[in-house]
Amino acid sequence: SIKLLGHIDRPEKYYKKADCFIMASDHEAFGRTTIEAVVYNCFVIANSKGATSELLENNREALFFDDRIDDLSNKMLHFTNMNASDIKQMKLNALNKVKSQFTKSIMIDNFENSLRNII
């Protein structure tokens, strides 16, 4: 079952209940909601055109679809047919990447380094 809730101020309880998270947008600035989903232990299925493809690796940390509804449907079906250990491993891979690359201190350091390169 799928529920489209729109904007939610405090989404934690929804992330915790979800089996997977679908990032369907083809444009987002950073993909913060993808990072949130990973931290809340959601399996990610994402549009390959969006920022998620810059954050996570296809078939290792998430599943990507090619911006077509039928491909999204295929990836959702693939997810439902995956065994629990493969799902768990991909979620762990994604969480490890998020923890190693997207912490507050790492992001601040990266931003400061970018500024130094510009100035």
Side-chain angles (χ1 to χ4, degrees), residues 21-65:
F21 173 82
I22 298 172
M23 175 52 81
S25 65
D26 56 2
H27 301 292
E28 67 269 359
F30 169 69
R32 185 184 75 212
T33 53
T34 298
I35 299 299
E36 287 175 354
V38 169
V39 169
Y40 284 109
N41 199 36
C42 289
F43 186 92
V44 174
I45 300 173
N47 189 332
S48 62
K49 286 185 169 183
T52 301
S53 64
E54 297 172 12
L55 305 173
L56 301 176
E57 184 180 332
N58 189 27
N59 294 317
R60 175 173 161 63
E61 299 151 348
L63 293 177
F64 295 115
F65 66 97

Side-chain angles (χ1 to χ4, degrees), residues 5 12 23 25-26 29 35 40 52 68 70 72 83 89 96 108 116-118:
L5 302 171
E12 296 87 3
M23 175 52 81
S25 65
D26 56 2
I35 299 299
Y40 284 109
T52 301
R68 295 186 345 258
D70 63 322
L72 171 57
N83 66 52
Q89 186 60 56
N96 287 336
I108 290 170
R116 279 189 208 106
N117 290 333
I118 293 171

Side-chain angles (χ1 to χ4, degrees), residues 57-84:
E57 184 180 332
N58 189 27
N59 294 317
R60 175 173 161 63
E61 299 151 348
L63 293 177
F64 295 115
F65 66 97
D66 66 6
D67 200 34
R68 295 186 345 258
I69 297 294
D70 63 322
D71 196 39
L72 171 57
S73 298
N74 289 336
K75 295 305 186 283
M76 292 168 68
L77 185 59
H78 176 73
F79 168 73
T80 62
N81 290 320
M82 289 175 67
N83 66 52

